[in-house]
Amino acid sequence: MNTRFHLALPVTDLAAAAVFYGDVLGCSRGRESDRWIDFDFWGHQLVVHLVDEIPEVARNPVDGEKVPASHFGPILSWDAFEPLEQRLRDAGVEFVIAPVTRFPGRRGEQRTLFVRDPSGNHLEFKAFRNIDMLFATDGLDYP
C-alpha cells in the first residue's frame, strides 16, 4: 500500500491559489469551501487555507543557492520533469531557483527547480535519474 500524505498550506488569495494549483500545475480539485480548497497533488491531499498574511521563510545555503527552509513538492519521474518545467515557463511562473541538474553523471544525479505559489509558499520539484538514490546514505560522491 502506498501511504499518502496530507499537507495544509496558508494562502492569502484563494482564487489565485486555485489557478496556480489547478490550472498551472494541473491538480484536480476536491472538496472546498469559501476558506479552503482540497487538491489532488500527485496523489496526495493538499489543502490551501485562506489566511490574512504569511510570514517570511528562513533560508539555508545549499550548493551556492539560498534554499527556502520551508518547502515541499513531488519527486517526479525523470521523463516528467522537463514537461512540467515547460508548463511552468509557458504559464510565466518565475523560478526562485532555476532548473538545474545536480550531481551530473554521479549516482545521485537529480533535476530540481523551485517556484513560489501566488502566496509565497515555496515548492521544489525534483527527479532522480535513479530513484533508488532517493534515500541512499553511502557510496555517494557528493561534494
Side-chain angles (χ1 to χ4, degrees):
M1 178 178 122
N2 228 358
T3 302
R4 297 178 183 196
F5 72 80
H6 162 85
L7 176 65
L9 289 179
V11 298
T12 55
D13 184 330
L14 205 55
V19 169
F20 180 78
Y21 290 100
D23 298 342
V24 175
L25 296 183
C27 300
S28 61
R29 287 167 78 150
R31 295 168 298 192
E32 60 187 275
S33 80
D34 60 346
R35 302 285 307 171
W36 54 267
I37 303 171
D38 283 349
F39 291 97
D40 179 343
F41 189 79
W42 281 266
H44 303 281
Q45 184 188 38
L46 173 66
V47 185
V48 295
H49 288 273
L50 185 60
V51 299
D52 292 332
E53 64 180 282
I54 300 172
E56 181 61 32
V57 172
R59 294 179 181 261
N60 185 33
V62 177
D63 291 342
E65 297 285 355
K66 293 180 179 178
V67 172
S70 178
H71 65 270
F72 72 101
I75 298 170
L76 307 171
S77 70
W78 193 259
D79 293 337
F81 188 89
E82 189 173 322
L84 177 67
E85 176 186 337
Q86 190 59 53
R87 184 178 187 150
L88 292 167
R89 287 184 191 283
D90 292 347
V93 175
E94 181 179 335
F95 294 106
V96 173
I97 298 176
V100 64
T101 300
R102 296 179 67 214
F103 318 116
R106 293 186 262 176
R107 291 183 62 219
E109 183 175 4
Q110 58 189 270
R111 297 276 295 148
T112 184
L113 66 83
F114 280 79
V115 297
R116 271 189 298 243
D117 74 8
S119 293
N121 294 298
H122 291 87
L123 291 85
E124 178 184 17
F125 293 88
K126 62 170 52 180
F128 282 80
R129 175 140 345 245
N130 177 353
I131 194 61
D132 293 336
M133 296 293 103
L134 179 62
F135 295 110
T137 60
D138 62 340
L140 299 177
D141 54 351
Y142 291 162

